[in-house]
Amino acid sequence: MKEQLEQIKQSALAALDAASTPAALEELRVKLLGKKGELTAVLKQMGKLSAEERPVMGQLANSVRASIEEKLEKRKADIHAAALEAKLAAEAIDVTIPGKSVSIGHQHPMNQVLQTIKDIFVGLGYQVVDGPEVELADYNFTRLNIEEGHPSRDRSDTFYFTDDDSVLLRTQTSPMQIRYMENHKPPLCMLAPGRVFRKDEADATHSPMFHQIEGLVVAENITMGDLKGALTTIMRKIYGEDAVMRFRPHHFPFTEPSCEMDMQCHKCHGTGEVDGQVCSTCHGEGWIELLGAGMVHPKVLENCGIDPEKYSGFAFGMGLERLAMGRMKINDLRLIFDNDIRFLNQF
Ligand code: DAH
């Protein structure tokens, strides 16, 4: 029996040394120490031994079991450590390799110009607001004093959603004047930038979607002088202190009197010619149209519950694309919307 135990010990230790996975170790543990294991089988024969031999063999059996258990634990720890080592080696990161540079984008040129303009107006005390692109004809036309049958209401010019022409894609940001005056009492100073939509074919100067910036100031004793002063200040901030402006009479249904503001062409300085050729920037006009403006029509104030006897105001609307094209010397409107990265990266 003694030899049997020695034999079990030797082969067990060798087998444990050879095992290389946790599963193999577990299999050996059951085989060697389990209820049906080799050691148990030997111990079952103890009854046959004499009273003197029994404690000696018992002791020997226990020490064999202890050796096997000790070896088992050691191998478990070894295998675990080896697995960890292998995992760490496989996942090693070389922190000395140069990183991949991430290219950071920038604002779209239109947003850059919009941001500049917003900053100027905020500095002058205007509140910047946002409004719906899907608008009621009531706000887009009627309450702006644009009557039924006016050409701008035509189905060939405006995108309508309903058969009765009551819901549309706004054709201008002017409805924001009505929306703002409905909810604010004078004195008020508002700026409303946003998208507008018209049934226009896209070409170098037209797009079915473009941006406008609407401005509105209403208070007591506001005059045309305030309009001219405010717009001149703003345009000088945008185009530079030496920019030359002019106001021209015009007509809009929602302002009276109305005007358009032009800037002297920065390329030909108003002469309409560059090196004996017609100036390509202003097409020989000498002036570039910037915006429409005027004194808010008394009917429009009334339509918003504001007393035109007590209050007066001015309003203006400018095209953001035109402004950006002038400032950034872009000659085709479509470039702004194509989103070609080679174009955008120039700004
Ligand atoms: N909404 C006009 C347009 O789209 C521009 C405009 C003109 C806006 C005069 C105004 C204004 O606020 O007073 O052509």
Side-chain angles (χ1 to χ4, degrees), residues 177 181 185-189 216-227 255-257 294-302 306-315:
Q177 292 187 30
M181 285 191 279
K185 293 274 147 275
L188 53 87
C189 268
L216 175 71
V217 173
V218 180
E220 285 182 54
N221 303 319
I222 296 287
T223 68
M224 196 88 185
D226 295 306
L227 180 160
T255 44
E256 181 59 34
M295 301 304 292
V296 182
H297 198 293
K299 277 195 194 157
V300 173
L301 292 175
E302 257 169 25
I306 293 175
D307 181 2
E309 296 296 329
K310 185 165 182 211
Y311 296 105
S312 54
F314 67 82

Side-chain angles (χ1 to χ4, degrees), residues 1-13 39 42 57 60-61 63-64 68:
M1 184 177 254
K2 189 173 172 210
E3 291 78 48
Q4 239 180 321
L5 284 170
E6 277 300 333
Q7 160 84 66
I8 289 174
K9 181 175 165 184
Q10 293 313 323
S11 69
L13 295 186
L39 200 57
V42 175
M57 283 305 149
L60 184 61
S63 100
V64 168
I68 293 174

Side-chain angles (χ1 to χ4, degrees), residues 172 174 177 198 212 214 252 254-255 292-294 315-317:
Q172 48 184 357
S174 302
Q177 292 187 30
R198 291 181 195 176
Q212 285 190 335
E214 194 79 13
F252 295 105
F254 37 90
T255 44
F316 55 89

